[in-house]
Amino acid sequence: MKNQEKIAFSIRKEMVQSNLKGMRTVAWSLMYVSAIISLIHYGEVFFVKAERAMVPVYIAIHIAMFYIDIAVLLFVREKRIHITSVNIQKYEHLVVIYIYTIMLLITAISVMDVYFFHHAALYEVILIIICTVFALPLRKISWIILLSAPAIIASTYLSVGMSSENIKVILPMSLLIPIGIIIQYQTYKVRKQITTQHILLDEEMIKTKQLSELLVVKNKALAEQALKDPLTNLPNRRAFNQQLTKIGHQLHQPQTLTVMMIDIDYFKKFNDYYGHIQGDAVIVKVASLLAEIAEKYQAFVARWGGEEFIMISQHTEKFAEPICEEILKEVRDLKIPHRQSDIVQYVTVSIGMCHANLTMYEHLQTCCDIADQALYLAKQNGRNNYFRKMAIFDGKENASI
């Protein structure tokens, strides 16, 4: 269903639901009116000696109306109503059939009222109520008026003939029927406009909500992308700094921290010999391996820049050293050829490790600097190994190594 068709159906559905609610309201009112009038007429049958011939007909019509209204109240309920594009016409017909049935029964009563009492008050009241409560196209109401009004006028002439008594019946009808038609026209027009505006507003609100949700998703994706290294998909240096800030906020008491700076050995020679595409492939493979190890030991790893990576672990020093050894071994086991290496013919890494008990946020950056220094010493000592430094802080920002 296209958007315009969907909106048109929603408007039509709202109008039908409103008319069904109106039908229940009218049914409640007429049910009580029919019950009261029927009791009054029953009293006339049993307690008034001069029984009028039309009383049984009055009673029969009001009882019929009473049961029709009972049926409406029993079967036309919001919980039972499920309007779809398939059955909406059925509910539209149901509303029209109810209006026509009630109006024809009221017309029958009014014909007798006009004949015996020279008034059509009940017809006029019910017509105004129906024109006010129901929002239907004017043509649907016009037909029942064209069917009922002539019958009442004919009854007027049959009862009093051509006389001034006609004015008592015809004049009110001639005034109220046009008023009812105007009310019906305005009711349908205004309610349809309000319904249309309401549905269009809902549509706009849904679109706005969807756009807002999409914007949130896009912003979240952009925020995540801004914290990811595009080559390795590891957290980047900005994400690493955020992680440091997060750890710093948790330093309410001393915490153990190990920082590992990891560098691919002789990477410039690798790039010069194999090319930058192969160099990027090596960085991706090493990054993937480091990500697996970090996940295994609940550590945090990020790309520091170029061929360097940094890993933070909150394990003890004795536990952190085996992690370094595992990284060295797993990288060697990748067996990525590196003919320009001065150590072995495969890609290797060097690691600088700093272990410390931290008490202040400033100690974190110091620990990273010390790990970088340890990496330099690991390279000086032949690469393909790790070098450990222990940082001891004096409670301020000073550290002894």
Side-chain angles (χ1 to χ4, degrees), residues 278-298:
Q278 290 299 318
D280 287 347
V282 169
I283 290 174
V284 170
K285 288 180 181 179
V286 173
S288 178
L289 176 64
L290 293 176
E292 290 177 8
I293 294 173
E295 183 178 3
K296 178 180 176 182
Y297 294 106
Q298 297 180 338

Side-chain angles (χ1 to χ4, degrees), residues 15-303:
M15 297 290 285
V16 171
Q17 287 177 331
S18 175
N19 284 331
L20 289 172
K21 289 179 182 178
M23 189 165 71
R24 284 183 58 84
T25 302
V26 172
W28 272 112
S29 303
L30 291 184
M31 182 184 70
Y32 287 118
V33 170
S34 297
I36 292 169
I37 293 177
S38 296
L39 289 173
I40 292 171
H41 286 311
Y42 268 116
E44 290 182 346
V45 171
F46 292 105
F47 300 108
V48 178
K49 293 181 179 180
E51 180 188 344
R52 288 176 291 183
M54 75 288 189
V55 168
V57 181
Y58 275 127
I59 293 172
I61 295 173
H62 281 293
I63 289 174
M65 286 177 58
F66 179 84
Y67 283 114
I68 290 170
D69 292 328
I70 285 288
V72 168
L73 295 174
L74 287 175
F75 297 107
V76 182
R77 297 182 182 180
E78 288 187 36
K79 293 181 179 179
R80 290 187 177 184
I81 296 170
H82 180 63
I83 299 175
T84 65
S85 57
V86 176
N87 64 15
I88 189 169
Q89 194 170 19
K90 178 185 75 174
Y91 286 109
E92 289 174 335
H93 288 161
L94 178 64
V95 172
V96 173
I97 289 169
Y98 174 76
I99 292 172
Y100 276 47
T101 303
I102 293 300
M103 285 300 296
L104 288 174
L105 292 173
I106 294 296
T107 300
I109 294 172
S110 297
V111 165
M112 290 187 290
D113 284 342
V114 168
Y115 189 84
F116 291 104
F117 306 111
H118 311 305
H119 73 80
L122 185 62
Y123 175 85
E124 293 158 358
V125 170
I126 298 301
L127 176 64
I128 295 297
I129 289 173
I130 285 175
C131 290
T132 305
V133 172
F134 295 98
L136 293 170
L138 190 59
R139 65 181 183 277
K140 293 186 178 180
I141 295 296
S142 299
W143 279 109
I144 189 61
I145 294 173
L146 291 174
L147 289 171
S148 58
I152 295 172
I153 294 170
S155 179
T156 303
Y157 282 105
L158 289 173
S159 64
V160 297
M162 297 294 292
S163 68
S164 59
E165 292 292 326
N166 292 339
I167 299 175
K168 294 180 180 180
V169 178
I170 296 173
L171 183 60
M173 286 184 62
S174 64
L175 292 173
L176 289 175
I177 287 176
I179 291 172
I181 291 172
I182 292 170
I183 290 172
Q184 170 62 32
Y185 174 75
Q186 290 297 325
T187 299
Y188 177 72
K189 180 181 176 182
V190 171
R191 195 175 297 177
K192 188 172 183 180
Q193 286 178 346
I194 292 172
T195 303
T196 302
Q197 290 172 358
H198 173 72
I199 289 171
L200 291 175
L201 182 60
D202 284 346
E203 286 289 319
E204 288 300 319
M205 288 177 67
I206 291 169
K207 288 180 182 178
T208 302
K209 185 179 179 181
Q210 290 174 342
L211 287 173
S212 297
E213 290 174 351
L214 181 61
L215 186 60
V216 169
V217 172
K218 292 291 184 182
N219 285 338
K220 186 177 179 181
L222 286 172
E224 291 177 354
Q225 187 177 355
L227 298 174
K228 291 285 186 181
D229 175 62
L231 178 63
T232 63
N233 208 35
L234 285 179
N236 57 19
R237 196 158 180 170
R238 179 186 294 178
F240 174 77
N241 290 333
Q242 287 188 5
Q243 183 68 13
L244 286 186
T245 302
K246 181 179 177 181
I247 294 172
H249 289 157
Q250 299 171 353
L251 291 178
H252 306 300
Q253 56 185 4
Q255 290 192 28
T256 300
L257 186 74
T258 300
V259 178
M260 304 174 200
M261 295 289 291
I262 305 158
D263 184 78
I264 300 174
D265 294 327
Y266 298 112
F267 186 72
K268 185 177 183 306
K269 289 184 177 181
F270 186 96
N271 261 347
D272 293 341
Y273 185 79
Y274 292 98
H276 288 283
I277 294 176
Q278 290 299 318
D280 287 347
V282 169
I283 290 174
V284 170
K285 288 180 181 179
V286 173
S288 178
L289 176 64
L290 293 176
E292 290 177 8
I293 294 173
E295 183 178 3
K296 178 180 176 182
Y297 294 106
Q298 297 180 338
F300 180 86
V301 64
R303 187 180 180 190

Side-chain angles (χ1 to χ4, degrees), residues 344-358:
V344 294
Q345 296 299 298
Y346 299 106
V347 169
T348 59
V349 296
S350 298
I351 305 172
M353 182 180 76
C354 172
H355 184 78
N357 289 322
L358 307 177

